[in-house]
Every structure is written in structure tokens, then in C-alpha cells.
Amino acid sequence: MISQNIRSLREHEGFTQEGLANQLGVARQTVAKWEVGEAVPDLENVQALADLFNVSIDDLVKHDEIAEGYPVPPRGKHIFGVVRVGERGQIVIPKRAREVFDIHPGTELLVLGDESQGIGMQKVEDAVAMMEQFGRAISERQ
């Protein structure tokens, strides 16, 4: 998977193998071997690749574009899957999303909407903290 991800990310970013090699301080042949699976980058180069392409190391190494149906997502961006709205408007938030965002029974979520961009949710405690920070910033300016 890492070989496919390196090639896909390199092409998406418009790098040649030579250009990527120059960015990382390795030979073009090294990049070519990574892309065909003859070799794998060491940890230092995995970190450099993840930073350069703004993806997580986990996704760089394990993401399967063919199985998932989409390329490696940018760091911090997630596709958790599809949910179905129940008869009374209820949805089940996917387990991985609950883990990533520390959502557990009793967590209150603020539902936001923009008719041109869709629906979003944020933990109420995070929204309150953000508003308090905003209030402090306004007070300091005055």
C-alpha cells in the first residue's frame, strides 16, 4: 500500500520521481524502488513523506485507495463512511469518528448548517471554549 500511496501522492502533487527525490535528499532510483515495492522508505523518510504530502503516517503506510475508493486524505481530514437517517431523524455516528473526536454517551453536539455547504457538528464544550476565547480577544482589544 505504501508504494501505491507514494506514487499517487507524488503524481497528485505534480512531482517527478527526480523532483521528489531532490525534496527528500535521496536518489531517483530510491523513489522508483519505493513505488514498485522493491524497497520501503526508512522511518525518517516516511516522516518526511508524510510531512511533505500533509498526510498522516498511518494513512501513508496503510491507506488502500482501491478498497476505500478515494486517495489518501490530507492530515486531519476524515471520511468515516455513510450513515442513514432514521425515521425520527436520528443518526449513528461511526465508531471511528467517535474515537477520533472523543464522543461518548452524554456528549452534547451543536448542529450547524450552511445551505450551500451542508451540516456540521461540534462538541458544545468546544464551541463554548471557542466563544470564551473570542470574548477575551475582543476585551483585550478595547
Side-chain angles (χ1 to χ4, degrees):
M1 285 178 264
I2 191 172
S3 59
Q4 170 60 36
N5 292 337
I6 293 170
R7 192 185 103 246
S8 177
L9 288 164
R10 175 184 61 78
E11 290 173 351
H12 180 266
E13 293 296 320
F15 285 113
T16 61
Q17 286 182 342
E18 184 77 31
L20 179 57
N22 289 338
Q23 287 285 320
L24 300 172
V26 300
R28 184 204 59 77
Q29 294 85 346
T30 300
V31 173
K33 287 180 181 182
W34 292 343
E35 290 185 1
V36 296
E38 290 180 12
V40 294
D42 61 20
L43 288 175
E44 185 176 312
N45 282 313
V46 168
Q47 180 69 61
L49 285 161
D51 290 345
L52 179 66
F53 295 130
N54 191 32
V55 299
S56 72
I57 291 173
D58 193 47
D59 280 339
L60 177 66
V61 173
K62 295 196 268 183
H63 182 82
D64 186 343
E65 184 173 334
I66 294 167
E68 298 293 338
Y70 56 89
V72 178
R75 185 179 289 135
K77 307 292 183 192
H78 305 274
I79 297 177
F80 294 112
V82 175
V83 298
R84 184 175 309 274
V85 178
E87 286 181 27
R88 296 183 1 202
Q90 71 275 26
I91 62 169
V92 175
I93 298 172
K95 182 177 189 261
R96 182 73 183 125
R98 294 190 315 265
E99 292 170 349
V100 168
F101 292 102
D102 191 30
I103 297 171
H104 48 82
T107 300
E108 292 182 311
L109 300 174
L110 178 63
V111 179
L112 306 166
D114 180 317
E115 291 182 12
S116 67
Q117 295 186 12
I119 296 173
M121 290 185 270
Q122 182 177 26
K123 289 179 12 181
V124 169
E125 62 194 57
D126 293 342
V128 169
M130 189 171 61
M131 293 304 290
E132 288 172 349
Q133 183 179 6
F134 180 71
R136 284 192 299 274
I138 296 293
S139 295
E140 290 172 3
R141 283 185 164 178
Q142 296 174 349

